[in-house]
Amino acid sequence: MKRFAQIAALSLAATTLPALAEQMTVVSFGGAYGDVQQKSMLEPFMEKTGNKLLFESYSGGVAELKSQVESGNILWDVIDMEVIDVERACSEGLLEEFPMDTLPPGDDGTPAKDDFSPAALENPCGVAQIVWTILYAYNTETIGGGHPSSMADFFDTKKFPGKRALRKRPQVNMEWALLADGVPADKVYDMLTTEEGQARAFAKLDSIKNDIVWFDSWSQAPQLLNDGGAVMVQSANGRFFDAIQKDKKPFVMVWDGHVYDLDVWSIVKGSKHKKLAEDFIRFATGSKPLAAMPSIAYGPTRQSSYAYVDKDLVSKLPSAHLDEGMHASSVFWADYGESLGEKFNEWLLK
Amino acid sequence: MSGVELTQAEKRTFDRTQRKARRTALLFVAPLLLFIVVSFVLPIGTMLFRSVYHPAVAELIPATLQKLKAWDETSNTIPEPDALQVFAGELKTLVENKTFGKLAEEINRSSPGASSLIKSTARKMSRLDDAELQSKGDQALLDAGKQWSNPNLWRSIKKAGNVFTGAYYLTAVDMERNGEGRVVSRKTQIYTDLYVKSLKIALYITLLTGLIGFPLAYYLANAPERTANVLMVFVLLPFWTSLLVRTTAWMALLQTNGVINSVLQSLHIISEPLELLYTQFSTIIAMTHILLPFMILPLYSVMKGIDPSYFRAALSLGAKPIPAFMRIYLPMTTPGFSAGALLVFIISIGYYITPALVGGVDGQMISNLIAFHMQSSNNWELAAALGSLLLVLILAMYWLYDRLVGVSNLKLG
């Protein structure tokens, strides 16, 4: 019995001893995006600190996060999220707040507060790392005659016959419909809060309804454009950029009416490695790790990163096209995401 | 009185051995019972409970809800100033606990646009001190946004405060309670149509599997054993293949530049590719293929057990082949057919992956919207209500089936 107690005490001590290296799970979107994060953020961090990071991918949304937090079975520690989701997850208490004042200054010495673009630190639950955008691209081999150049062209099936592929959700599509209908970018969200504005957007979408192919994940988009499933396809700019750069696809991106947004690193509420997670975010949003993101056409959120970025790439980032597009409003979508989601489903089924 | 009567002692021994036997039997089935409870009864129970139990708002603003009890929501006025003051105070506490977002989210569900209003108002209230809130909280609240003077918003708050609610079930059948508390149909109509559509799709699939499966099962049951065994492998092999693989195969076949379109185009039967993928047609055809074995296997096992001499006897007694088949053979296959039909119907009505992948918009079923509310809109209560209704619908179909055909008629193998 005594021996048993000794063993028990020993093994208990072994498990409660402060672990020298921690193992933490980081979750992000896969693809080329995930590869760059792995190389520029996770690997250097592991090397520097000796901790082990597991890297998993997911397809966005808050469902998995919510079920982990609600059941108390936290498997993830750090997540890469779209701002629309962060806004919701943060206000529902699914994320830890991040101490913004602990962010290190840029490599050129600029304090973090001035180095980051203001929008990047707006949400208390995370630090934005990249500016990305949603736009459409066409395939020069399947588009036929002329070349679409504006949002109105996307909705013009007479001039450009053929299928268009959109992600199956109201976000961005409602904005695009109003933009194509001639609403100026700064009036779009005001219009969408009214019944008439929503009806106008749906009417515009109606005009191409029979020509739309719907998909669920960004990774399907370049595929649809490639195999001729659609002649114009909506996706994140990095997805197209990667296909053009790496696979030499004959795709052309159209910047008119693009809807840009940020992506955020945040920490799951109740994470067992909160301190390490904060360390990781401080590291990953440093000037140098962020400077790797433009290689897949996503713009870093801090100014000091641009010193490391190839001048050719800078012109291909969403930041070089800001005046052609509009900023996605996470506040609007927190307010109307659910009701428009229902109306959108109804419209789809009509 | 009959001759043999047990003594008390004998009776006790008998009871004891009986009890022991029953305990042993229970021990044998205990793992199964436990498994059923944990994996089936508990989740479904939780789902049913979740669809009506909704304590979030009641826990967040208990004092306000207490005050709101006195307010008559059918009148066209907003609640008394003291209720407003209490609410302003509670908003401040929610900001301190960082739970005001939760309240905003909940109220937003019935009043779209309330989320940002509640969040910004709560932040404003948190800047006031307690004395100010107690004396001028109501005015501060009304100044924070003109929406606060709208009785509809207060109705939403009061409604969301109910711990037990049937509101999600009303939504699930496209109804809602209006300002006066009457049940009216909602502006957005999605779910009832979709239930009907799901039933229709399930019915088509059941009929198709029956039409294709019956002759095949008949042939299998009557072919020489060697042929039957080989053919059976062709039925079972797809059955053992992963669902996703089979669905993806259908995507490859049906897509715009897929196998079917390419073949038809190269044969010059069509000039433009047909629109096959992402339609109701592709949902039905892919699911028919996937569920076919569930029809063939019970039919086959029943047909295998039918003595061919009955049919021969009918013929030799002068019946023509077709009437003999209809009146002798067909009725005997009913147990197999009804088992197969019930299986296919019930499985297909709750199907989710295949419609999601090949169905596009047109071929969506109710299960896809349940998944949508679980994964995207985060409205788990509504998903639970929709799921519970689906369960009730299936039970009702089962009951109807029992009345018409009789469940004792089932034969699964």
Side-chain angles (χ1 to χ4, degrees), chain A residues 272-293:
Chain A
K272 285 180 215 90
H273 311 284
K274 194 174 163 213
K275 237 200 109 313
L276 184 65
E278 283 176 5
D279 285 344
F280 171 74
I281 292 179
R282 276 189 284 269
F283 177 83
T285 55
S287 308
K288 195 107 188 234
L290 279 187
M293 302 312 288

Side-chain angles (χ1 to χ4, degrees), chain A residues 172-195:
Chain A
V172 180
N173 298 331
M174 302 295 282
E175 286 99 318
W176 279 15
L178 287 186
L179 287 173
D181 214 18
V183 177
D186 56 339
K187 295 281 186 313
V188 164
Y189 286 115
D190 289 342
M191 289 221 53
L192 279 179
T193 55
T194 64
E195 293 265 329

Side-chain angles (χ1 to χ4, degrees), chain A residues 61-63 66-67 70 87-88 91-94 97 163 168 195 210 213-214 216 220 224 227-229 331 334-336 338-339 341-343 345-346 348-349, chain B residues 50 98 101-102 105 108-109 112-113 115-116 119 171 186-191 194 255 257 275 278 356 360-361 364 369 372 374-380 382:
Chain A
V62 278
K66 183 173 169 174
S67 66
E70 288 208 349
E87 170 78 22
R88 266 174 83 178
S91 64
E92 282 196 52
L94 303 175
E97 288 205 2
K163 294 273 170 194
K168 196 163 75 194
E195 293 265 329
N210 293 329
V213 177
W214 299 102
D216 287 306
Q220 281 166 279
L224 277 164
D227 65 19
V331 173
D335 274 352
Y336 292 93
E338 188 148 352
S339 64
E342 279 208 319
K343 285 182 189 163
N345 276 332
E346 184 196 31
L348 279 178
L349 293 166
Chain B
R50 181 137 204 166
K98 301 201 173 68
K102 183 90 194 143
E105 195 79 16
N108 196 57
R109 221 149 247 175
S115 176
S116 57
K119 283 185 207 162
T171 312
R186 292 175 87 215
K187 251 193 228 150
T188 352
Q189 296 283 321
I190 322 175
Y191 305 110
L194 209 56
Q255 63 185 316
N257 295 325
E275 209 174 297
Y278 307 126
V361 175
Q364 297 280 294
L369 272 200
F372 167 77
M374 287 299 291
Q375 295 168 342
S376 310
S377 83
N378 242 7
N379 195 345
W380 289 5
L382 183 56

Side-chain angles (χ1 to χ4, degrees), chain A residues 82 132-139 151 154-155 163-177 179 205 208 211-226 229-241 251-254 256-260 298 333 344:
Chain A
E82 293 179 32
W132 63 296
T133 193
I134 296 171
L135 42 62
Y136 77 90
Y138 61 89
N139 186 334
M151 196 42 70
F154 188 88
F155 284 80
K163 294 273 170 194
R164 285 96 166 106
L166 294 170
R167 186 160 172 184
K168 196 163 75 194
R169 56 175 194 174
Q171 282 87 345
V172 180
N173 298 331
M174 302 295 282
E175 286 99 318
W176 279 15
L179 287 173
L205 282 171
I208 56 164
D211 293 296
I212 302 179
V213 177
W214 299 102
F215 60 84
D216 287 306
S217 139
W218 291 134
S219 59
Q220 281 166 279
Q223 188 62 36
L224 277 164
L225 196 52
N226 190 40
V231 296
M232 294 184 225
V233 174
Q234 174 188 68
S235 192
N237 66 309
R239 301 268 174 183
F240 291 132
F241 183 83
F251 298 166
V252 178
M253 291 188 260
V254 178
D256 185 52
H258 70 105
V259 178
Y260 61 91
Y298 294 129
W333 285 111
F344 184 74

